[in-house]
Structures are given as structure tokens and as C-alpha cells.
Amino acid sequence: MKNQSFSRHTLSQWEEAAEKALKGKGISSLHTSTYENIDLKPLYTKEDVRSRDRVKDYIPDVEGRLERASKWFIAQSIKRDSWEELTTAVKDALSRGQNCLSFSIGDLQKEEHLNRFLKELISFDTPIFSIDKKTSLSIIGREGAREWKGMYGIVGFDPLSEGEWADENRLEEWLKVVEEADKHLSEVKTIIVNSAPYHNKGASATQELALALSEGVAYIEALQEKNWTLERAAEKMHFHFAVGSHFFMEMAKIRAFKKLWQEVLSSYGVAEGVISSAISISAETSRFNKSTLDSYVNMLRGGGEAFSAILAGVDYVVVAPFNEMSEEVNPFSERIARNTQLILGEEAHLDKVIDPGGGSYYVEWLSEEVGKLAWKEFQHLDEKGGMLVSLKDGSIESQITRVREARIHDLATRKNSMIGTNIYANLEESLPDRQSTSEERLSLPFENLRSRAQKLTRKPVAGLIGLGELKSHKPRADFVKGFLATGGIHAHQSKECLSKEDLLQFVEETRYPYYVVCGKDEEYHDQLAMIVESIHQIDGDVMIDIAGKIPDEKRSKWERMGLNGSIYNKQNILEKMDELLIIWEEGKYSEEA
């Protein structure tokens, strides 16, 4: 193999080969547009990367990282109902590969219990990681902080992204806590810029970066007013991101941030040596794209997200348990989440390489594009008066809402797929009694449909009328079954309806409130009038759709003769299923009617 060589091919030759495989479609048909308004090509070359020496732009202090290669800290947050259970669970996690002290006290009582807990666990000599408000305040927002002089890591929360900006005194109060903690915990980073709340509302990658940069500037300037040096402020800051399913985009987001924050610190005059050591980043798997439906798929989503975060070079990674959305987290799901990172390190060897994406034409180009667009958005925020002004006037919320609505629309029309939610829905699965209260999750509108169907006293069943032989109507019948399943509606498919009598027999035997006629377009033109009239003679209230889009020139005529509508590809599932579920919610029909 070492002696084999491959002939070079030009870009035009690759394009010709692609167009041949596409059977005449242009190469542009493979381009995709992202929510960041970036046009992605199917192939990148060195011509797309202006500078060949870009790796160092995104990796601060590469030499300083060589000692630990790309090792990161596994920062799974552990929560239990008692201090004894929490102590046992944290010790167990640390003995099984977790290398970071991360926990949430939840509703547990504090004071002497927390003191005892920390005294026992600090001896493990691992960094601490907590960006949970209640837990962080319990650790550093008290006199006892002076007892933990050997503590190092990340402890704090972000009052801006977590919605406390409306109280003008809240930021001031938090900075007082930070100042006091700094006297005793010099090795703990307490200024947290947490962009995950923006991500989990649906923000694009460039919006997340712009908001993180703007928040960072807001904190620096607030600390300067308290006579902190720039170097001291920079070294106390830590940035936290959520990582979604767009593998390369999320990787580029974090790589771009490193360069952008260096630019910000440089513009303030922070010494280069301080800049290299001051950039501290953690990442959590996205909540926005997780579902309570088919929750095991969340394992795959979380694994890919952790993969991209690690490749981007973060310092701490949090992989959420796959069943977190249903609030059914247990030791098994915690172990799977922790082992996801262990496997990425031990079996994929991600802890043995530095910046594996460096030098990739696509990754370098995308990192540059994301960075440029994010910088423009950041400058726009700055021109308006900064983060606090934009939070108060509601512009940030409205901009994120537009992107979220676009994402939901693309899911509703199946431009994007979400296994178990808008495609391959499992009708045998029931929604759990408890679900995440996060109202922005991508799957929530579909879960609401399934919840409506689940609450019906009788399961909703639609009749599928298959015209002609099975092979001719099966593709459309299968599509309709999958479509209806996303809203919790079952489908009962007829035998081959080769005559009017076969069709009427199926309707007489089933008496469903809703039928979908599945056949070829030419069969609709010839038989649809007869089919609709015959069914309505049995029951005039029955709703009838066809599988496939109604031709524009036929719509008025077919609707006048009693056709309700149709089910077709790229149709808005949410709108259609809302319309259909009302049939059963009215209570007039049941599966045994």
C-alpha cells in the first residue's frame, strides 16, 4: 500500500463525476444553506482557504497543551435526594472514570452538610465544575469559601443569560460575591459567560458567538469599574456553550470563538501571554434537539455532539443523560452519558491528538466564515449599546425567535429529520407522565400532538383505502402511515380495492371518521368522484383525503364534490395533524364506531 500512488484530479473533473452521478443535476443541487446564512458546498479545496497556517489562530498556547494533549474533564453533574446518596454517587462516578467534581445540590439543605461533603471530596484532587446558580452560590457565596483554598476549577453562574438582567442590582450583587470569593479561591474561575440558554432557545451559531462575545465585554467593563486589571478579569472568565447536531458547524463555532475572544482581549490591551492561558471553555450537549419520544436516540445525538466539542478543543464536557427530558435520570443513564466520553477518549483516541480538524479545508473555511459573521453581529450589538441594552429592548429575544421558528418549520415540513419525532414515529411508545418544562425544545410541538392523541379515551384510527394492486398504492400508503404516526394516529389499511364493492365493504366494516385514499394520480382523475360520493352515502360526515398533492387545477372541483384535502410530501405536519386530531377530540367517533 505504501508504494501505491493516485493520480491528481482537478476540481472540474470532480464536478463532472458528481453531475454524472446526479444524472444531470447541477453540482449546485448539493449546496445547502444554514441558519447562519452560510452556503455550504459539497467539496472544498485549498483555494477556499486563503491562509495555510490557520491552525494556531484557533488553538491558543498549543505548546502549553502538549503535556496533556487534548484531554478534557468529564463534568457530568450528579444530583440526588440526600447528602448521603449524593456523596456515594459522586465517589462512584470518580472511581469509574469521571475526572471532575461536578454536582447539583438541588433542594438539599446546605451549611454543615455541604462543608462535610466538600471536605470529603476535595481530597480526590480533581477540578470542580459548577455553573448551576444554587450550587455555585452555596460554595462561593458564603463565608465558608475561605476554607477551600486548595479548590480549583469553575464555580459560578451567568445572571445575564439566565434572565436576571432585568434586576439592575443583580449583576452588581453577583460581582460582589465574585470579588469576595477571589480573595480565598484564586484558582477558581467565577465569571461565567453561559451561552447555552440562547442555544436552547434556538439561536444560530453566529448568534451564540456574538452574544457570548458581547457578554464577555459587558463583564470586563463591569470589572474594570471595580478597578480590576484586565489581566485579572480575563483570567477569571470562563465560557460555556451548548453543542447541537450540526457536527461541523458546532466544531467551527468553538474554534472560531477562540480566535474572536483573542481579538477582543488584544483590543483591550491584554498581554499576549495572558490571552493564551485565559481562554477557558466548556460545552454541554444540546437540550434544544432532545426528545422525550424515542429517547434512546438521544444517546446518538449526545455522542456526536460530545465528539464535535472535543475535536474543537474544549476543557470541560457535559453529556446529558439520554432520558433527562422525561426527568427520569437514573444511574444507568448517568453511566451511559459518562461512558460516552470515556469511549471517545479510550477507543476513539481523541485524548491523544491536538486539533484534528486543523488543516481540513472545509473545517478551516467554515471556522473562518462563522467567525466573520459572528464578529459582524457582535459589532452590531456593540453599536446599539451592548448586551444589557439589547436584552432590555427585546431585540435578542425576537432575533432568536425567528431562527427557532424557521427550525420548527423545517422540521414540520421534513426538510430536516428528527428520528422518532417527525419520522419513524413509534406508535407503541407513550409519553412519560413528567416531561422537561423547557418550552423551546424542537420536538415539543410534536410531543404536544402525541400528548393530545394519548389523552383521547379511544385511540384515533384512520382508514387507508388502497386503490388497485398493492404494489401500485403501497408507496403512498406507507408514506401516509408514517405521516399520521407523528401525531399519534394509527392507520388501518384495506385489502386491495379492485372494485367499488371492495371499497364500500371496507368502509361499512370499519366506519372510521376519516379515510385517506391511496392510489395513482390517474386513478384519482377517473374514480375520485365515485369514491367520495359512495363513502358519503354511507356517512355524510366522514372526512376524506387523498395521498399526494392535489393538482391546482383540480382543487376547486374536488373540494366542491366533498374532498377535504390531501397528505403529501413537504406538507406542514404540525398544521395538518392539528386539523385531524380535532376529529377525534370532538368525541363523535371511536375506533369501534
PDB file of all heavy atoms in Angstrom, residues 146-176:
ATOM      1  N   ARG A 146     -13.591  30.557  52.304  1.00  0.00           N
ATOM      2  CA  ARG A 146     -12.181  30.670  52.667  1.00  0.00           C
ATOM      3  C   ARG A 146     -11.596  29.338  53.119  1.00  0.00           C
ATOM      4  O   ARG A 146     -10.386  29.184  53.213  1.00  0.00           O
ATOM      5  CB  ARG A 146     -12.020  31.719  53.765  1.00  0.00           C
ATOM      6  CG  ARG A 146     -12.682  31.372  55.086  1.00  0.00           C
ATOM      7  CD  ARG A 146     -12.619  32.551  56.047  1.00  0.00           C
ATOM      8  NE  ARG A 146     -13.359  33.677  55.513  1.00  0.00           N
ATOM      9  CZ  ARG A 146     -13.355  34.891  56.064  1.00  0.00           C
ATOM     10  NH1 ARG A 146     -12.608  35.124  57.119  1.00  0.00           N
ATOM     11  NH2 ARG A 146     -14.077  35.865  55.542  1.00  0.00           N
ATOM     12  N   GLU A 147     -12.472  28.362  53.404  1.00  0.00           N
ATOM     13  CA  GLU A 147     -11.984  27.051  53.831  1.00  0.00           C
ATOM     14  C   GLU A 147     -11.474  26.211  52.660  1.00  0.00           C
ATOM     15  O   GLU A 147     -10.817  25.206  52.858  1.00  0.00           O
ATOM     16  CB  GLU A 147     -13.102  26.283  54.548  1.00  0.00           C
ATOM     17  CG  GLU A 147     -13.621  26.967  55.796  1.00  0.00           C
ATOM     18  CD  GLU A 147     -14.734  26.165  56.441  1.00  0.00           C
ATOM     19  OE1 GLU A 147     -14.774  24.929  56.230  1.00  0.00           O
ATOM     20  OE2 GLU A 147     -15.575  26.755  57.134  1.00  0.00           O
ATOM     21  N   TRP A 148     -11.797  26.629  51.434  1.00  0.00           N
ATOM     22  CA  TRP A 148     -11.471  25.791  50.276  1.00  0.00           C
ATOM     23  C   TRP A 148     -10.341  26.391  49.444  1.00  0.00           C
ATOM     24  O   TRP A 148     -10.440  26.517  48.243  1.00  0.00           O
ATOM     25  CB  TRP A 148     -12.714  25.593  49.415  1.00  0.00           C
ATOM     26  CG  TRP A 148     -13.961  25.342  50.200  1.00  0.00           C
ATOM     27  CD1 TRP A 148     -15.099  26.061  50.172  1.00  0.00           C
ATOM     28  CD2 TRP A 148     -14.168  24.296  51.140  1.00  0.00           C
ATOM     29  NE1 TRP A 148     -16.023  25.538  51.041  1.00  0.00           N
ATOM     30  CE2 TRP A 148     -15.473  24.440  51.653  1.00  0.00           C
ATOM     31  CE3 TRP A 148     -13.370  23.251  51.622  1.00  0.00           C
ATOM     32  CZ2 TRP A 148     -15.998  23.583  52.612  1.00  0.00           C
ATOM     33  CZ3 TRP A 148     -13.892  22.405  52.574  1.00  0.00           C
ATOM     34  CH2 TRP A 148     -15.186  22.556  53.060  1.00  0.00           C
ATOM     35  N   LYS A 149      -9.261  26.751  50.100  1.00  0.00           N
ATOM     36  CA  LYS A 149      -8.158  27.425  49.410  1.00  0.00           C
ATOM     37  C   LYS A 149      -7.497  26.531  48.366  1.00  0.00           C
ATOM     38  O   LYS A 149      -6.899  27.022  47.427  1.00  0.00           O
ATOM     39  CB  LYS A 149      -7.128  27.911  50.429  1.00  0.00           C
ATOM     40  CG  LYS A 149      -7.646  29.070  51.271  1.00  0.00           C
ATOM     41  CD  LYS A 149      -6.568  29.620  52.184  1.00  0.00           C
ATOM     42  CE  LYS A 149      -7.113  30.802  52.987  1.00  0.00           C
ATOM     43  NZ  LYS A 149      -6.088  31.362  53.900  1.00  0.00           N
ATOM     44  N   GLY A 150      -7.577  25.229  48.504  1.00  0.00           N
ATOM     45  CA  GLY A 150      -6.973  24.339  47.516  1.00  0.00           C
ATOM     46  C   GLY A 150      -7.878  24.046  46.339  1.00  0.00           C
ATOM     47  O   GLY A 150      -7.493  23.350  45.398  1.00  0.00           O
ATOM     48  N   MET A 151      -9.075  24.596  46.348  1.00  0.00           N
ATOM     49  CA  MET A 151     -10.037  24.313  45.287  1.00  0.00           C
ATOM     50  C   MET A 151      -9.632  25.010  43.998  1.00  0.00           C
ATOM     51  O   MET A 151      -9.164  26.143  44.004  1.00  0.00           O
ATOM     52  CB  MET A 151     -11.434  24.776  45.717  1.00  0.00           C
ATOM     53  CG  MET A 151     -12.540  24.471  44.722  1.00  0.00           C
ATOM     54  SD  MET A 151     -14.147  25.135  45.270  1.00  0.00           S
ATOM     55  CE  MET A 151     -14.510  24.044  46.645  1.00  0.00           C
ATOM     56  N   TYR A 152      -9.828  24.319  42.866  1.00  0.00           N
ATOM     57  CA  TYR A 152      -9.583  24.917  41.564  1.00  0.00           C
ATOM     58  C   TYR A 152     -10.616  24.408  40.573  1.00  0.00           C
ATOM     59  O   TYR A 152     -11.222  23.358  40.770  1.00  0.00           O
ATOM     60  CB  TYR A 152      -8.163  24.609  41.076  1.00  0.00           C
ATOM     61  CG  TYR A 152      -7.885  23.150  40.789  1.00  0.00           C
ATOM     62  CD1 TYR A 152      -7.894  22.657  39.482  1.00  0.00           C
ATOM     63  CD2 TYR A 152      -7.602  22.248  41.828  1.00  0.00           C
ATOM     64  CE1 TYR A 152      -7.622  21.320  39.216  1.00  0.00           C
ATOM     65  CE2 TYR A 152      -7.331  20.914  41.566  1.00  0.00           C
ATOM     66  CZ  TYR A 152      -7.356  20.457  40.253  1.00  0.00           C
ATOM     67  OH  TYR A 152      -7.095  19.132  39.990  1.00  0.00           O
ATOM     68  N   GLY A 153     -10.844  25.189  39.525  1.00  0.00           N
ATOM     69  CA  GLY A 153     -11.830  24.792  38.522  1.00  0.00           C
ATOM     70  C   GLY A 153     -12.776  25.922  38.188  1.00  0.00           C
ATOM     71  O   GLY A 153     -12.385  27.090  38.120  1.00  0.00           O
ATOM     72  N   ILE A 154     -14.067  25.580  38.014  1.00  0.00           N
ATOM     73  CA  ILE A 154     -15.087  26.532  37.559  1.00  0.00           C
ATOM     74  C   ILE A 154     -16.253  26.513  38.540  1.00  0.00           C
ATOM     75  O   ILE A 154     -16.878  25.469  38.738  1.00  0.00           O
ATOM     76  CB  ILE A 154     -15.617  26.146  36.153  1.00  0.00           C
ATOM     77  CG1 ILE A 154     -14.464  25.788  35.195  1.00  0.00           C
ATOM     78  CG2 ILE A 154     -16.506  27.240  35.593  1.00  0.00           C
ATOM     79  CD1 ILE A 154     -13.530  26.911  34.896  1.00  0.00           C
ATOM     80  N   VAL A 155     -16.561  27.645  39.136  1.00  0.00           N
ATOM     81  CA  VAL A 155     -17.723  27.750  40.022  1.00  0.00           C
ATOM     82  C   VAL A 155     -18.349  29.121  39.822  1.00  0.00           C
ATOM     83  O   VAL A 155     -17.721  30.149  40.095  1.00  0.00           O
ATOM     84  CB  VAL A 155     -17.349  27.574  41.509  1.00  0.00           C
ATOM     85  CG1 VAL A 155     -18.612  27.668  42.372  1.00  0.00           C
ATOM     86  CG2 VAL A 155     -16.642  26.250  41.755  1.00  0.00           C
ATOM     87  N   GLY A 156     -19.577  29.160  39.356  1.00  0.00           N
ATOM     88  CA  GLY A 156     -20.254  30.432  39.158  1.00  0.00           C
ATOM     89  C   GLY A 156     -21.504  30.247  38.319  1.00  0.00           C
ATOM     90  O   GLY A 156     -21.877  29.123  37.969  1.00  0.00           O
ATOM     91  N   PHE A 157     -22.164  31.348  37.993  1.00  0.00           N
ATOM     92  CA  PHE A 157     -23.310  31.289  37.086  1.00  0.00           C
ATOM     93  C   PHE A 157     -23.375  32.606  36.325  1.00  0.00           C
ATOM     94  O   PHE A 157     -22.617  33.545  36.599  1.00  0.00           O
ATOM     95  CB  PHE A 157     -24.601  30.988  37.839  1.00  0.00           C
ATOM     96  CG  PHE A 157     -25.289  32.192  38.430  1.00  0.00           C
ATOM     97  CD1 PHE A 157     -26.455  32.691  37.863  1.00  0.00           C
ATOM     98  CD2 PHE A 157     -24.771  32.826  39.546  1.00  0.00           C
ATOM     99  CE1 PHE A 157     -27.094  33.795  38.399  1.00  0.00           C
ATOM    100  CE2 PHE A 157     -25.412  33.934  40.096  1.00  0.00           C
ATOM    101  CZ  PHE A 157     -26.569  34.423  39.523  1.00  0.00           C
ATOM    102  N   ASP A 158     -24.247  32.651  35.328  1.00  0.00           N
ATOM    103  CA  ASP A 158     -24.327  33.810  34.441  1.00  0.00           C
ATOM    104  C   ASP A 158     -25.683  34.498  34.619  1.00  0.00           C
ATOM    105  O   ASP A 158     -26.680  34.063  34.048  1.00  0.00           O
ATOM    106  CB  ASP A 158     -24.145  33.353  32.993  1.00  0.00           C
ATOM    107  CG  ASP A 158     -24.149  34.506  32.013  1.00  0.00           C
ATOM    108  OD1 ASP A 158     -24.365  35.652  32.431  1.00  0.00           O
ATOM    109  OD2 ASP A 158     -23.925  34.274  30.804  1.00  0.00           O
ATOM    110  N   PRO A 159     -25.746  35.575  35.418  1.00  0.00           N
ATOM    111  CA  PRO A 159     -27.036  36.248  35.624  1.00  0.00           C
ATOM    112  C   PRO A 159     -27.606  36.877  34.358  1.00  0.00           C
ATOM    113  O   PRO A 159     -28.816  37.085  34.269  1.00  0.00           O
ATOM    114  CB  PRO A 159     -26.707  37.314  36.679  1.00  0.00           C
ATOM    115  CG  PRO A 159     -25.240  37.512  36.599  1.00  0.00           C
ATOM    116  CD  PRO A 159     -24.665  36.204  36.194  1.00  0.00           C
ATOM    117  N   LEU A 160     -26.754  37.174  33.370  1.00  0.00           N
ATOM    118  CA  LEU A 160     -27.257  37.804  32.148  1.00  0.00           C
ATOM    119  C   LEU A 160     -28.030  36.816  31.279  1.00  0.00           C
ATOM    120  O   LEU A 160     -29.184  37.040  30.927  1.00  0.00           O
ATOM    121  CB  LEU A 160     -26.099  38.416  31.354  1.00  0.00           C
ATOM    122  CG  LEU A 160     -25.389  39.606  32.013  1.00  0.00           C
ATOM    123  CD1 LEU A 160     -24.311  40.150  31.085  1.00  0.00           C
ATOM    124  CD2 LEU A 160     -26.378  40.707  32.364  1.00  0.00           C
ATOM    125  N   SER A 161     -27.410  35.703  30.921  1.00  0.00           N
ATOM    126  CA  SER A 161     -28.078  34.751  30.028  1.00  0.00           C
ATOM    127  C   SER A 161     -29.202  33.997  30.735  1.00  0.00           C
ATOM    128  O   SER A 161     -30.110  33.483  30.091  1.00  0.00           O
ATOM    129  CB  SER A 161     -27.078  33.750  29.453  1.00  0.00           C
ATOM    130  OG  SER A 161     -26.587  32.884  30.456  1.00  0.00           O
ATOM    131  N   GLU A 162     -29.160  33.951  32.065  1.00  0.00           N
ATOM    132  CA  GLU A 162     -30.183  33.222  32.805  1.00  0.00           C
ATOM    133  C   GLU A 162     -31.338  34.108  33.239  1.00  0.00           C
ATOM    134  O   GLU A 162     -32.135  33.748  34.101  1.00  0.00           O
ATOM    135  CB  GLU A 162     -29.552  32.511  33.997  1.00  0.00           C
ATOM    136  CG  GLU A 162     -28.572  31.427  33.547  1.00  0.00           C
ATOM    137  CD  GLU A 162     -28.061  30.576  34.688  1.00  0.00           C
ATOM    138  OE1 GLU A 162     -28.834  30.335  35.635  1.00  0.00           O
ATOM    139  OE2 GLU A 162     -26.903  30.150  34.639  1.00  0.00           O
ATOM    140  N   GLY A 163     -31.418  35.314  32.631  1.00  0.00           N
ATOM    141  CA  GLY A 163     -32.614  36.119  32.763  1.00  0.00           C
ATOM    142  C   GLY A 163     -32.676  37.062  33.938  1.00  0.00           C
ATOM    143  O   GLY A 163     -33.742  37.621  34.219  1.00  0.00           O
ATOM    144  N   GLU A 164     -31.569  37.273  34.638  1.00  0.00           N
ATOM    145  CA  GLU A 164     -31.613  38.157  35.800  1.00  0.00           C
ATOM    146  C   GLU A 164     -31.146  39.574  35.483  1.00  0.00           C
ATOM    147  O   GLU A 164     -30.924  40.376  36.386  1.00  0.00           O
ATOM    148  CB  GLU A 164     -30.774  37.557  36.937  1.00  0.00           C
ATOM    149  CG  GLU A 164     -31.301  36.212  37.404  1.00  0.00           C
ATOM    150  CD  GLU A 164     -30.664  35.754  38.697  1.00  0.00           C
ATOM    151  OE1 GLU A 164     -29.901  36.531  39.296  1.00  0.00           O
ATOM    152  OE2 GLU A 164     -30.934  34.606  39.110  1.00  0.00           O
ATOM    153  N   TRP A 165     -30.993  39.864  34.195  1.00  0.00           N
ATOM    154  CA  TRP A 165     -30.546  41.187  33.787  1.00  0.00           C
ATOM    155  C   TRP A 165     -31.582  42.269  34.089  1.00  0.00           C
ATOM    156  O   TRP A 165     -31.266  43.449  34.212  1.00  0.00           O
ATOM    157  CB  TRP A 165     -30.233  41.186  32.286  1.00  0.00           C
ATOM    158  CG  TRP A 165     -31.354  40.638  31.460  1.00  0.00           C
ATOM    159  CD1 TRP A 165     -31.496  39.344  31.052  1.00  0.00           C
ATOM    160  CD2 TRP A 165     -32.506  41.325  30.986  1.00  0.00           C
ATOM    161  NE1 TRP A 165     -32.645  39.173  30.341  1.00  0.00           N
ATOM    162  CE2 TRP A 165     -33.294  40.383  30.280  1.00  0.00           C
ATOM    163  CE3 TRP A 165     -32.950  42.641  31.069  1.00  0.00           C
ATOM    164  CZ2 TRP A 165     -34.493  40.724  29.677  1.00  0.00           C
ATOM    165  CZ3 TRP A 165     -34.156  42.980  30.473  1.00  0.00           C
ATOM    166  CH2 TRP A 165     -34.913  42.028  29.794  1.00  0.00           C
ATOM    167  N   ALA A 166     -32.867  41.857  34.193  1.00  0.00           N
ATOM    168  CA  ALA A 166     -33.922  42.850  34.420  1.00  0.00           C
ATOM    169  C   ALA A 166     -33.754  43.556  35.767  1.00  0.00           C
ATOM    170  O   ALA A 166     -34.146  44.713  35.927  1.00  0.00           O
ATOM    171  CB  ALA A 166     -35.289  42.180  34.353  1.00  0.00           C
ATOM    172  N   ASP A 167     -33.183  42.848  36.746  1.00  0.00           N
ATOM    173  CA  ASP A 167     -32.901  43.452  38.038  1.00  0.00           C
ATOM    174  C   ASP A 167     -31.525  44.101  37.963  1.00  0.00           C
ATOM    175  O   ASP A 167     -30.502  43.418  37.956  1.00  0.00           O
ATOM    176  CB  ASP A 167     -32.937  42.383  39.132  1.00  0.00           C
ATOM    177  CG  ASP A 167     -32.726  42.960  40.529  1.00  0.00           C
ATOM    178  OD1 ASP A 167     -32.354  44.147  40.624  1.00  0.00           O
ATOM    179  OD2 ASP A 167     -32.913  42.214  41.498  1.00  0.00           O
ATOM    180  N   GLU A 168     -31.491  45.412  37.893  1.00  0.00           N
ATOM    181  CA  GLU A 168     -30.223  46.118  37.693  1.00  0.00           C
ATOM    182  C   GLU A 168     -29.239  45.878  38.831  1.00  0.00           C
ATOM    183  O   GLU A 168     -28.028  46.015  38.654  1.00  0.00           O
ATOM    184  CB  GLU A 168     -30.484  47.615  37.526  1.00  0.00           C
ATOM    185  CG  GLU A 168     -31.273  47.946  36.267  1.00  0.00           C
ATOM    186  CD  GLU A 168     -31.480  49.435  36.092  1.00  0.00           C
ATOM    187  OE1 GLU A 168     -31.001  50.196  36.959  1.00  0.00           O
ATOM    188  OE2 GLU A 168     -32.116  49.818  35.096  1.00  0.00           O
ATOM    189  N   ASN A 169     -29.738  45.514  40.002  1.00  0.00           N
ATOM    190  CA  ASN A 169     -28.846  45.293  41.138  1.00  0.00           C
ATOM    191  C   ASN A 169     -28.267  43.878  41.156  1.00  0.00           C
ATOM    192  O   ASN A 169     -27.323  43.612  41.885  1.00  0.00           O
ATOM    193  CB  ASN A 169     -29.602  45.535  42.450  1.00  0.00           C
ATOM    194  CG  ASN A 169     -30.050  46.976  42.589  1.00  0.00           C
ATOM    195  OD1 ASN A 169     -29.317  47.891  42.217  1.00  0.00           O
ATOM    196  ND2 ASN A 169     -31.252  47.174  43.114  1.00  0.00           N
ATOM    197  N   ARG A 170     -28.871  42.974  40.334  1.00  0.00           N
ATOM    198  CA  ARG A 170     -28.453  41.559  40.414  1.00  0.00           C
ATOM    199  C   ARG A 170     -27.023  41.366  39.952  1.00  0.00           C
ATOM    200  O   ARG A 170     -26.262  40.632  40.585  1.00  0.00           O
ATOM    201  CB  ARG A 170     -29.391  40.691  39.575  1.00  0.00           C
ATOM    202  CG  ARG A 170     -29.231  39.211  39.878  1.00  0.00           C
ATOM    203  CD  ARG A 170     -29.698  38.919  41.299  1.00  0.00           C
ATOM    204  NE  ARG A 170     -29.364  37.562  41.699  1.00  0.00           N
ATOM    205  CZ  ARG A 170     -28.254  37.240  42.358  1.00  0.00           C
ATOM    206  NH1 ARG A 170     -27.378  38.159  42.672  1.00  0.00           N
ATOM    207  NH2 ARG A 170     -28.030  35.992  42.720  1.00  0.00           N
ATOM    208  N   LEU A 171     -26.645  41.996  38.860  1.00  0.00           N
ATOM    209  CA  LEU A 171     -25.273  41.865  38.366  1.00  0.00           C
ATOM    210  C   LEU A 171     -24.297  42.442  39.385  1.00  0.00           C
ATOM    211  O   LEU A 171     -23.245  41.859  39.650  1.00  0.00           O
ATOM    212  CB  LEU A 171     -25.124  42.572  37.020  1.00  0.00           C
ATOM    213  CG  LEU A 171     -23.732  42.527  36.378  1.00  0.00           C
ATOM    214  CD1 LEU A 171     -23.282  41.093  36.174  1.00  0.00           C
ATOM    215  CD2 LEU A 171     -23.740  43.279  35.046  1.00  0.00           C
ATOM    216  N   GLU A 172     -24.665  43.560  39.973  1.00  0.00           N
ATOM    217  CA  GLU A 172     -23.811  44.185  40.980  1.00  0.00           C
ATOM    218  C   GLU A 172     -23.641  43.272  42.193  1.00  0.00           C
ATOM    219  O   GLU A 172     -22.526  43.107  42.722  1.00  0.00           O
ATOM    220  CB  GLU A 172     -24.421  45.519  41.411  1.00  0.00           C
ATOM    221  CG  GLU A 172     -23.624  46.263  42.460  1.00  0.00           C
ATOM    222  CD  GLU A 172     -22.285  46.762  41.934  1.00  0.00           C
ATOM    223  OE1 GLU A 172     -22.135  46.886  40.703  1.00  0.00           O
ATOM    224  OE2 GLU A 172     -21.392  47.023  42.763  1.00  0.00           O
ATOM    225  N   GLU A 173     -24.714  42.639  42.623  1.00  0.00           N
ATOM    226  CA  GLU A 173     -24.645  41.719  43.758  1.00  0.00           C
ATOM    227  C   GLU A 173     -23.739  40.539  43.449  1.00  0.00           C
ATOM    228  O   GLU A 173     -22.949  40.102  44.291  1.00  0.00           O
ATOM    229  CB  GLU A 173     -26.054  41.219  44.100  1.00  0.00           C
ATOM    230  CG  GLU A 173     -26.968  42.276  44.685  1.00  0.00           C
ATOM    231  CD  GLU A 173     -28.390  41.783  44.826  1.00  0.00           C
ATOM    232  OE1 GLU A 173     -28.618  40.580  44.534  1.00  0.00           O
ATOM    233  OE2 GLU A 173     -29.267  42.568  45.208  1.00  0.00           O
ATOM    234  N   TRP A 174     -23.869  40.010  42.223  1.00  0.00           N
ATOM    235  CA  TRP A 174     -23.059  38.857  41.847  1.00  0.00           C
ATOM    236  C   TRP A 174     -21.576  39.225  41.787  1.00  0.00           C
ATOM    237  O   TRP A 174     -20.723  38.459  42.241  1.00  0.00           O
ATOM    238  CB  TRP A 174     -23.527  38.292  40.512  1.00  0.00           C
ATOM    239  CG  TRP A 174     -22.622  37.226  39.958  1.00  0.00           C
ATOM    240  CD1 TRP A 174     -21.937  37.250  38.791  1.00  0.00           C
ATOM    241  CD2 TRP A 174     -22.295  35.976  40.572  1.00  0.00           C
ATOM    242  NE1 TRP A 174     -21.208  36.100  38.627  1.00  0.00           N
ATOM    243  CE2 TRP A 174     -21.409  35.303  39.726  1.00  0.00           C
ATOM    244  CE3 TRP A 174     -22.662  35.374  41.770  1.00  0.00           C
ATOM    245  CZ2 TRP A 174     -20.883  34.045  40.016  1.00  0.00           C
ATOM    246  CZ3 TRP A 174     -22.137  34.127  42.073  1.00  0.00           C
ATOM    247  CH2 TRP A 174     -21.265  33.473  41.210  1.00  0.00           C
ATOM    248  N   LEU A 175     -21.270  40.386  41.274  1.00  0.00           N
ATOM    249  CA  LEU A 175     -19.872  40.799  41.188  1.00  0.00           C
ATOM    250  C   LEU A 175     -19.258  40.999  42.574  1.00  0.00           C
ATOM    251  O   LEU A 175     -18.052  40.779  42.766  1.00  0.00           O
ATOM    252  CB  LEU A 175     -19.752  42.080  40.356  1.00  0.00           C
ATOM    253  CG  LEU A 175     -20.068  41.918  38.868  1.00  0.00           C
ATOM    254  CD1 LEU A 175     -19.945  43.252  38.143  1.00  0.00           C
ATOM    255  CD2 LEU A 175     -19.171  40.880  38.206  1.00  0.00           C
ATOM    256  N   LYS A 176     -20.080  41.377  43.546  1.00  0.00           N
ATOM    257  CA  LYS A 176     -19.576  41.475  44.917  1.00  0.00           C
ATOM    258  C   LYS A 176     -19.207  40.101  45.452  1.00  0.00           C
ATOM    259  O   LYS A 176     -18.202  39.935  46.143  1.00  0.00           O
ATOM    260  CB  LYS A 176     -20.636  42.129  45.814  1.00  0.00           C
ATOM    261  CG  LYS A 176     -20.805  43.624  45.594  1.00  0.00           C
ATOM    262  CD  LYS A 176     -21.881  44.181  46.524  1.00  0.00           C
ATOM    263  CE  LYS A 176     -22.069  45.685  46.286  1.00  0.00           C
ATOM    264  NZ  LYS A 176     -23.150  46.244  47.144  1.00  0.00           N
TER     265      LYS A 176
END
